[in-house]
Amino acid sequence: MAFHIPSYLSCDIGIDLGTANTLVYLKDQGIVLREPSVVAIDTASRRPIAFGEEAKRMLGRVPGNITAIRPMKDGVIADFDVTEALLSHLIGRVRRGLWNVPRVVIAIPSGITAVEKRAVMDSATRAGASVVITIPEPMAAAIGVGLPIYEPAANMIVDIGGGTTEIAVISLGGMVVSQSIRVAGDELNNAIIDYMKRAYNLLIGERTAEEIKITVGSAYPLDDELTIEVKGRDSVAGLPKTIHITSQEIREALSAPIGQIVDTVRMTLERCPPELSADLVDRGFVMAGGGSLIRGIDRLLSEKTGLPVTVAEDPLSAVANGTGIFMNNLKNWNGRTEA
Ligand code: ADP
Ligand code: MG
């Protein structure tokens, strides 16, 4: 049943339900929330006790009765209840009151199943949304970085997130070829953890690995190579230990997962229809997602594909901004279920 919602009660929200970070875009205001997609739950009662940044700080540091969960970790919904709790927490934080019935656009990973998509939509409805529209994440990313996706020409996006890398070529508002792999920021962290264990018998946690990646990680030789001090536990002596490592070593450690990303980009290009390939020669592709901030990844990909590559101005916000732009251009919310 369609009914009219008075404007003072409506608020339109765009949500980027990412594997690592969830962002909320509020119409006319822009991005108002940015939180890690992490929920801490009480193991016995299964009740959520912390969300976002607070819950992320608990990852790897919790006592037995609390678990910190990343419900979207691999680009599929590992835990429906926890995903719903996260969505309802976020929608609740931006709703303007109990009687407020927001309309919601949610960007979802392109690898999600129909059942999972339905579950996300139902969760948003239970969280108070009056209308829910989903849009594939690469499409939102392309809109967010300003690609003219409704033109009959190739618009290519490579979004390296936490759990998945999503690649798509879009023309006339539809995805012509798309590919999603579970190799992205998390795998880079894991590669660093493995390297430290192998080369130095040093055990480090995920957060330390991420810090190393962000501080000295690279995909291409740097003009000035970097060093970082790393603290962890010696796996032989069992005691805390500090070592110094270089950006060259970390580049070597990251080369396998980065190679997989390069191969997938090339594979996507091979599946591209020839007219669209021809467009890409000049237009190249745009990179988004936190993983595109790895030093030199644009240069490496440009070298390996022969195409011009640009990194979005604010890669971590591309998808959320895309949901905002999409929603502003939406003429009719009723009857639309997806982009
Ligand atoms: P998702 O959309 O899957 O939630 P994001 O686009 O938010 O993912 O990106 C999160 C990933 O980006 C994480 O793996 C994080 O470690 C990585 N990341 C964030 N900033 C940087 C940086 N400056 N350099 C390298 N990686 C980064
Ligand atoms: Mg993302």
Side-chain angles (χ1 to χ4, degrees):
M1 186 180 69
F3 52 89
H4 180 70
I5 299 162
S7 64
Y8 61 89
L9 285 182
S10 78
C11 73
D12 297 339
I13 301 172
I15 299 178
D16 166 11
L17 194 57
T19 65
N21 296 296
T22 302
L23 282 73
V24 179
Y25 184 109
L26 190 56
K27 190 173 176 139
D28 302 326
Q29 292 194 31
I31 295 168
V32 291
L33 269 184
R34 207 184 270 278
E35 291 275 0
S37 312
V38 185
V39 182
I41 63 162
D42 180 296
T43 321
S45 68
R46 302 265 317 150
R47 285 242 307 276
I49 51 172
F51 295 92
E53 198 55 57
E54 193 189 349
K56 187 178 180 185
R57 276 197 298 272
M58 297 180 179
L59 275 177
R61 287 200 178 115
V62 287
N65 56 337
I66 300 172
T67 333
I69 296 179
R70 286 180 53 195
M72 305 285 302
K73 195 171 177 172
D74 297 314
V76 292
I77 299 180
D79 192 317
F80 288 102
D81 294 344
V82 176
T83 305
E84 177 162 342
L86 180 64
L87 264 179
S88 92
H89 167 78
L90 294 164
I91 293 176
R93 270 176 64 185
V94 297
R95 270 176 85 171
R96 284 187 300 220
L98 201 56
W99 299 104
N100 178 255
V101 276
R103 300 182 294 188
V104 181
V105 171
I106 307 183
I108 51 169
S110 58
I112 208 167
T113 64
V115 173
E116 290 175 320
K117 180 168 130 183
R118 190 73 246 166
V120 169
M121 295 177 76
D122 291 345
S123 296
T125 305
R126 278 193 291 268
S130 58
V131 185
V132 185
I133 293 177
T134 64
I135 172 172
E137 200 183 300
M139 193 93 93
I143 297 172
V145 302
L147 288 172
I149 62 154
Y150 297 103
E151 283 176 15
N155 297 286
M156 180 164 168
I157 187 97
V158 175
D159 177 352
I160 307 178
T164 59
T165 294
E166 312 232 352
I167 303 162
V169 180
I170 303 164
S171 173
L172 284 171
M175 295 200 286
V176 182
V177 256
S178 71
Q179 192 97 40
S180 170
I181 51 160
R182 292 182 193 184
V183 179
D186 294 337
E187 277 302 305
L188 302 184
N189 299 348
N190 290 338
I192 293 174
I193 293 175
D194 289 346
Y195 175 80
M196 298 306 284
K197 195 158 35 180
R198 207 165 3 97
Y200 295 101
N201 290 324
L202 188 72
L203 305 179
I204 59 168
E206 265 174 61
R207 300 220 61 182
T208 303
E210 182 176 42
E211 193 187 314
I212 297 171
K213 174 183 73 178
I214 291 175
T215 318
V216 304
S218 63
Y220 203 89
L222 303 174
D223 292 337
D224 297 302
E225 296 290 349
L226 307 161
T227 59
I228 185 174
E229 183 185 276
V230 180
K231 300 190 182 96
R233 175 159 64 88
D234 187 304
S235 65
V236 181
L239 298 172
K241 176 164 96 170
T242 304
I243 59 158
H244 289 86
I245 46 162
T246 65
S247 46
Q248 286 101 319
E249 292 178 88
I250 296 302
R251 191 160 55 245
E252 180 54 38
L254 297 178
S255 63
I258 286 180
Q260 283 176 282
I261 294 173
V262 170
D263 289 347
T264 312
V265 172
R266 291 178 57 124
M267 226 158 64
T268 312
L269 289 168
E270 283 163 18
R271 290 174 42 217
C272 198
E275 292 295 347
L276 295 180
S277 298
D279 292 342
L280 291 174
V281 173
D282 299 319
R283 297 163 74 107
F285 59 86
V286 181
M287 298 188 69
S292 68
L293 292 168
I294 287 284
R295 293 171 188 76
I297 188 130
D298 47 342
R299 188 157 172 199
L300 179 76
L301 278 168
S302 177
E303 210 164 81
K304 299 283 186 192
T305 59
L307 300 180
V309 177
T310 42
V311 177
E313 206 170 293
D314 183 359
L316 285 157
S317 308
V319 171
N321 285 331
T323 62
I325 298 167
F326 175 77
M327 153 172 103
N328 286 335
N329 295 331
L330 204 57
K331 303 240 160 29
N332 173 20
W333 284 76
N334 293 326
R336 289 291 302 272
T337 53
E338 68 184 291

